[in-house]
Amino acid sequence: MTLDQLRIFLEVAEQQHITRAAQTLHLTQSAVSAAIAALETRHGVKLFDRVGRAILLNDTGRAFLAEARGVLDSARAAENALDDLSSLRRGRLSIMASQTIASHWLPRRLVAFRRVHPQVEIELGFANTDLVADGVESGKAELGLVEGDVSRDSLSTALLDHDDMVVVVSPGHDWAGRAIAPAELGNTQWVVRETGSGTRAAFDTMLQSAGVTPDIALVLPANEAVLGVVEAGLGATLVSANVARAQLAAGLLSLVRTQPVRRSFFLLRHRERHHTRAAAAFLALQLD
């Protein structure tokens, strides 16, 4: 079994299609098919079911998927450790960030790092806070940047920054431009992010502090989707001021005056995994 076979297996599992996986990996379709066949034949198992043009993981394939990911994550960590020994003329910076950070806090910092260390490969993924913590814990990413406090024995946390949050509605909403007391927060419908996101945690804390049970109309997995629905006239939402800034300036959303809501951005790192020079250099730029 080779690392290349595992990479091909993971890509086919994700794409559920031999041709698309081959295109992503820049391989021929026959090479991808041969790698899957070699894995299955060598170990006497079937990893996929062929359904029409699709190729779907069966129970055996799903059980193998987590193991394959773990092996590739370990191989990536080993490669990072060796790259690290040859200084920052090369190497990899792997980051997972929650949505608000990835879209609004991180970009200019990545650009600054890239200018100083142009040869370092930057690998960036984004997800909600819980999934970012999972990624750092598993070794998928070295640095996790999240919008809420995370408490896991394997992870260290450090304060990075603060973020001010605001309640926004459409300009036609009864609350547009008004001051709202905490007890009134139950008087409208809410459009919110999914459980596990830092934005949802801040919303839940705000409503719990007000002693209000919210009327949640929609739960959506992305800030842009949440703001789009609110802009179209459904309810209110709590969101980072940075996320809503452009739509507020354009008059597409209206600010609701409420008690200030401030949350913190945190850095997550694994307590026991190797810490690369690339990550240290990135953090040094942020803390200067």
Side-chain angles (χ1 to χ4, degrees), residues 98-101 129 146-148 161-168 190-193 197-206 223 226-227 237-245 248 254-265:
S98 49
Q99 285 191 25
T100 301
I101 293 176
T129 292
V146 297
E147 302 155 14
D161 210 340
H162 296 287
D163 184 39
D164 292 318
M165 306 191 73
V166 293
V167 175
V168 296
W190 291 89
V191 182
V192 298
R193 285 283 307 281
S197 70
T199 298
R200 177 60 180 272
F203 169 79
D204 290 342
T205 298
M206 180 180 75
N223 294 328
V226 168
L227 292 182
T237 194
L238 177 73
V239 69
S240 168
N242 288 320
V243 173
R245 179 173 287 115
L248 287 168
S254 292
L255 188 66
V256 179
R257 300 197 303 278
T258 60
Q259 288 186 349
V261 177
R262 171 168 273 206
R263 63 179 173 180
S264 298
F265 291 163

Side-chain angles (χ1 to χ4, degrees), residues 152-185:
R152 300 194 187 187
D153 291 342
S154 62
L155 303 181
S156 66
T157 64
L159 180 65
L160 268 184
D161 210 340
H162 296 287
D163 184 39
D164 292 318
M165 306 191 73
V166 293
V167 175
V168 296
V169 294
S170 70
H173 192 283
D174 289 344
W175 286 3
R178 286 185 50 203
I180 297 298
E184 297 179 82
L185 293 175

Side-chain angles (χ1 to χ4, degrees), residues 262-273:
R262 171 168 273 206
R263 63 179 173 180
S264 298
F265 291 163
F266 289 95
L267 165 71
L268 305 181
R269 303 184 81 177
H270 200 285
R271 295 184 187 277
E272 297 179 354
R273 293 185 188 276

Side-chain angles (χ1 to χ4, degrees), residues 60-269:
T60 302
R62 282 190 289 271
F64 181 56
L65 183 63
E67 299 298 330
R69 281 179 174 152
V71 169
L72 289 176
D73 286 342
S74 295
R76 185 181 297 113
E79 184 179 6
N80 285 344
L82 288 176
D83 285 345
D84 209 37
L85 296 174
S86 64
S87 82
L88 284 179
R89 288 192 297 272
R90 55 175 299 186
R92 180 185 294 112
L93 173 65
S94 60
I95 299 174
M96 285 187 71
S98 49
Q99 285 191 25
T100 301
I101 293 176
S103 299
H104 298 275
W105 186 89
L106 188 55
R108 65 184 178 86
R109 292 168 169 85
L110 285 179
V111 170
F113 178 82
R114 185 73 174 181
R115 285 175 180 151
V116 179
H117 304 291
Q119 302 305 316
V120 175
E121 176 188 351
I122 297 173
E123 187 176 286
L124 175 64
F126 63 92
N128 68 36
T129 292
D130 281 355
L131 293 178
V132 171
D134 290 344
V136 177
E137 199 165 37
S138 71
K140 184 177 181 180
E142 182 177 357
L143 303 181
L145 310 177
V146 297
E147 302 155 14
D149 196 9
V150 172
S151 179
R152 300 194 187 187
D153 291 342
S154 62
L155 303 181
S156 66
T157 64
L159 180 65
L160 268 184
D161 210 340
H162 296 287
D163 184 39
D164 292 318
M165 306 191 73
V166 293
V167 175
V168 296
V169 294
S170 70
H173 192 283
D174 289 344
W175 286 3
R178 286 185 50 203
I180 297 298
E184 297 179 82
L185 293 175
N187 296 344
T188 193
Q189 291 184 309
W190 291 89
V191 182
V192 298
R193 285 283 307 281
E194 78 283 6
T195 299
S197 70
T199 298
R200 177 60 180 272
F203 169 79
D204 290 342
T205 298
M206 180 180 75
L207 272 291
Q208 289 167 6
S209 297
V212 169
T213 300
D215 178 4
I216 296 177
L218 277 177
V219 178
L220 297 170
N223 294 328
E224 292 76 9
V226 168
L227 292 182
V229 168
V230 172
E231 182 184 323
L234 179 60
T237 194
L238 177 73
V239 69
S240 168
N242 288 320
V243 173
R245 179 173 287 115
Q247 283 153 291
L248 287 168
L252 301 174
L253 292 171
S254 292
L255 188 66
V256 179
R257 300 197 303 278
T258 60
Q259 288 186 349
V261 177
R262 171 168 273 206
R263 63 179 173 180
S264 298
F265 291 163
F266 289 95
L267 165 71
L268 305 181
R269 303 184 81 177

